[in-house]
Amino acid sequence: MFHPRRTLRALLLPLAAGLALTTLPAQTASAAGTLTNGGFESDGAGVATPAGWSEYGSTAASFTESGGHGGSHRLSHYASSAYKVETYQYLSGLTNGNYKLTAWVRSGGGQNSAYIALKNCGGAEQRTDLPVSASGWIRIVVPVNVTNNQCTISINSDANAGNWINVDDLTFASGTSGTSIHGADISSLAKSEAKGGVYRTSSGTTGDAVTILKNAGMNYARLKVWVNPADGYNNKTRVLAMAKRIKAAGMKLLVDFHYSDTWADPGAQSKPAAWAGHSYSQLRTDVYNHTYDVLNALKAQGTTPDMVQVGNEINGGMLWNEGSTNNWSQLAGLLNSGYDAVKAVNSSTTVALHLAKGGDLSGTRWWFDSAVANGVKFDAIGLSYYGYWHGSLYDFQTTLDDAASRYGKPVFVAETAYPFRLDSEDSHEEIINTTGELVSGYPANTAGQRRWMNDVTSIVEAVPGGRGLGVFYWEATWTAVTGNGWDPTDASSGNGWENQALFGYDDTALSSMAWFRHR
């Protein structure tokens, strides 16, 4: 937590600034080809202008102080009144090529903007916003292609009174970063359209939701499959039809097998009615045949999925009780049946396992350690991460990084979302509908929704080793349409999610769709 010590800092400024100028003249006076004083350790606390760095704007709001990420000190931006300040360092004599800046950051939030940028490097400025994290340090990255042998590292705050950031342990080295998945689950779309749902561009023109999302930058769609749902939606036939639209739009496809007739999640993993009473051995065959059947039909129509989830949010296993985590050897057999079926249809399709444990380090470790010990086969790890349920952004980064390194697999966010308002459009209460349920620093408006998505994606981008694949937004198209409620057995059931769609209550595309353009 940041605790400004204004009085002490004022006393230390003249002495510390004098020491910096007498002991390190070369670093403050000329540019260098390598980053100087990236850990802000050269001067100690209370220094107005850290060695190697320059400042512009409200310079009194930029200073070093005790409490670093790695070492003893950090850079902070803070003032008791509104301020705009930039702390920057100019690098010259660089060999042209790809570089990546890595930084550890904290922020109390509330700024108009707070970001780290690489600019004047020969091409477009690259920037990464600081996620709001008041206690835990978060790693962010900024990649750039240097084409003019120089680059400026810029730490920026456009802040209101009392806002603060901490920045530390910056490194600038060869490398690159980015995310390949900027996706959304649109499983609700077919039924919405059938029940009269309308989707409009940001200018109000009625259009096809898939096209609108594609034009916003979406490149990957996720569709759930139920075995024999009561309303007929999200079954094999409907998935085949939607897959054609997704592939025609040039998007990739993730098929999410629930192995149920209705919602499968951490609290419910009910067997499909057709498989009720089957032995464990038969259930293994059921999983294989169902998986193979759906995927083979998709392949036959030219829409082979790029990724498949064997199970949905299977914290406690699937196909209860036979496939519960209380019986890992049986769960492993069911998961491997799904894996084998996917590979039998197309060996290059990525098979992911999906937990709703985005901020649960110990729980994620326990689950995947058990899976590995029981010989479960998988290619990627998907985690649901909803900030109002699954822990802080710091917890999320810690869990994601650990999963990637511990199991040597790429990781992605299979589900996340955020509200753009708190009231409901239909008569059904929203799942998230009070300010107390929100994540601190992320208001329930389109700006907050967009900020949440960009910051979650930035954390995925920063996973070491390039193992962060990207993010799927959950149910971007689930607007309030009569008949398209949550319960497939009840046409009058409402929707508790329309305030977390990416289309507004006037059915127009929200500006928060801009997150699809994240690196």
Side-chain angles (χ1 to χ4, degrees):
M1 191 68 182
F2 171 76
H3 299 291
R5 293 182 173 84
R6 304 295 295 165
T7 309
L8 177 61
R9 193 177 77 77
L11 292 171
L12 289 172
L13 276 179
L15 172 64
L19 287 172
L21 289 173
T22 53
T23 57
L24 296 161
Q27 291 175 318
T28 56
S30 64
T34 55
L35 176 61
T36 300
N37 193 22
F40 303 99
E41 297 296 327
S42 297
D43 321 290
V47 172
T49 306
W53 295 86
S54 303
E55 294 173 339
Y56 177 77
S58 310
T59 56
S62 172
F63 50 91
T64 61
E65 62 182 348
S66 297
H69 166 259
S72 302
H73 305 95
R74 67 197 183 206
L75 175 75
S76 293
H77 286 179
Y78 166 83
S80 56
S81 55
Y83 62 94
K84 293 183 181 179
V85 69
E86 176 188 17
T87 308
Y88 65 96
Q89 185 167 152
Y90 167 63
L91 301 180
S92 63
L94 295 172
T95 302
N96 287 338
N98 290 317
Y99 290 84
K100 181 172 70 173
L101 179 77
T102 303
W104 289 88
V105 301
R106 299 193 298 193
S107 171
Q111 300 91 346
N112 300 316
S113 64
Y115 61 89
I116 298 181
L118 297 175
K119 60 184 187 178
N120 308 322
C121 312
E125 175 180 324
Q126 298 294 317
R127 62 170 65 175
T128 303
D129 292 330
L130 272 62
V132 179
S133 179
S135 53
W137 290 91
I138 289 176
R139 183 200 316 100
I140 60 172
V141 295
V142 192
V144 75
N145 181 29
V146 173
T147 58
N148 61 355
N149 305 110
Q150 63 187 28
C151 198
T152 298
I153 297 166
S154 172
I155 303 166
N156 268 271
S157 290
D158 176 356
N160 300 299
N163 295 163
W164 61 269
I165 65 170
N166 302 150
V167 179
D168 203 4
D169 293 340
L170 286 85
T171 56
F172 183 78
S174 294
T176 188
S177 71
T179 48
S180 58
I181 296 173
H182 305 133
D185 192 305
I186 55 172
S187 299
S188 61
L189 180 58
K191 188 174 181 181
S192 173
E193 291 171 335
K195 300 294 181 182
V198 173
Y199 298 88
R200 306 180 196 279
T201 65
S202 55
S203 59
T205 307
T206 302
D208 174 68
V210 174
T211 304
I212 293 169
L213 289 161
K214 164 72 174 180
N215 291 342
M218 177 172 153
N219 65 6
Y220 220 125
R222 179 178 186 256
L223 297 177
K224 69 170 173 268
V225 186
W226 288 342
V227 177
N228 188 23
D231 60 0
Y233 287 90
N234 302 298
N235 65 5
K236 174 185 166 184
T237 302
R238 305 280 188 182
V239 168
L240 286 167
M242 187 59 71
K244 284 186 176 179
R245 291 172 60 184
I246 288 163
K247 289 287 190 173
M251 293 190 202
K252 290 187 174 182
L253 173 63
L254 165 58
V255 174
D256 170 21
F257 284 92
H258 282 229
Y259 302 111
S260 180
D261 292 334
T262 187
W263 301 99
D265 57 43
Q269 294 284 338
S270 304
K271 285 194 284 285
W275 305 356
H278 285 191
S279 65
Y280 165 68
S281 175
Q282 182 61 45
L283 288 171
R284 285 194 63 172
T285 303
D286 292 333
V287 167
Y288 186 96
N289 289 345
H290 170 62
T291 306
Y292 186 94
D293 178 53
V294 172
L295 298 180
N296 198 48
L298 285 163
K299 179 181 178 179
Q301 70 171 17
T303 59
T304 302
D306 302 275
M307 192 187 306
V308 167
Q309 279 180 222
V310 176
N312 186 75
E313 296 191 330
I314 50 176
N315 299 10
M318 65 185 199
L319 294 168
W320 289 345
N321 289 313
E322 286 81 357
S324 161
T325 49
N326 292 329
N327 192 330
W328 258 104
S329 64
Q330 290 195 173
L331 174 57
L334 294 168
L335 294 172
N336 283 340
S337 285
Y339 179 96
D340 291 343
V342 176
K343 298 297 184 177
V345 174
N346 181 46
S347 61
S348 62
T349 297
T350 300
V351 178
L353 297 180
H354 171 210
L355 303 185
K357 287 183 175 289
D360 181 357
L361 174 64
S362 61
T364 300
R365 273 190 177 182
W366 172 83
W367 200 97
F368 278 99
D369 280 359
S370 301
V372 170
N374 282 276
V376 176
K377 295 176 282 190
F378 61 99
D379 305 320
I381 293 171
L383 296 176
S384 291
Y385 175 61
Y386 296 100
Y388 36 75
W389 292 328
H390 293 145
S392 69
L393 287 167
Y394 170 81
D395 294 330
F396 167 54
Q397 180 166 77
T398 304
T399 304
L400 198 67
D401 288 356
D402 184 75
S405 62
R406 190 174 180 88
Y407 308 106
K409 303 290 186 183
V411 294
F412 65 98
V413 176
E415 296 182 19
T416 189
Y418 206 75
F420 62 90
R421 55 197 293 172
L422 292 173
D423 60 321
S424 180
E425 186 180 1
D426 63 15
S427 60
H428 193 286
E429 183 177 84
E430 302 304 87
I431 291 174
I432 301 298
N433 66 351
T434 66
T435 54
E437 293 172 300
L438 298 174
V439 180
S440 178
Y442 298 89
N445 54 35
T446 50
Q449 186 183 48
R450 176 179 177 179
R451 178 99 192 259
W452 175 259
M453 291 307 300
N454 274 322
D455 291 351
V456 167
T457 311
S458 291
I459 288 173
V460 178
E461 182 186 10
V463 172
R467 288 197 175 111
L469 296 179
V471 179
F472 288 94
Y473 194 92
W474 195 70
E475 282 292 10
T477 56
W478 201 6
T479 53
V481 175
T482 303
N484 192 23
W486 68 271
D487 186 352
T489 69
D490 179 4
S492 67
S493 64
N495 172 12
W497 203 262
E498 70 267 21
N499 69 329
Q500 299 194 63
L502 293 181
F503 291 86
Y505 288 8
D506 58 359
D507 300 321
T508 62
L510 297 175
S511 59
S512 41
M513 278 191 196
W515 87 266
F516 284 123
R517 300 285 183 193
H518 194 285
R519 276 188 308 271

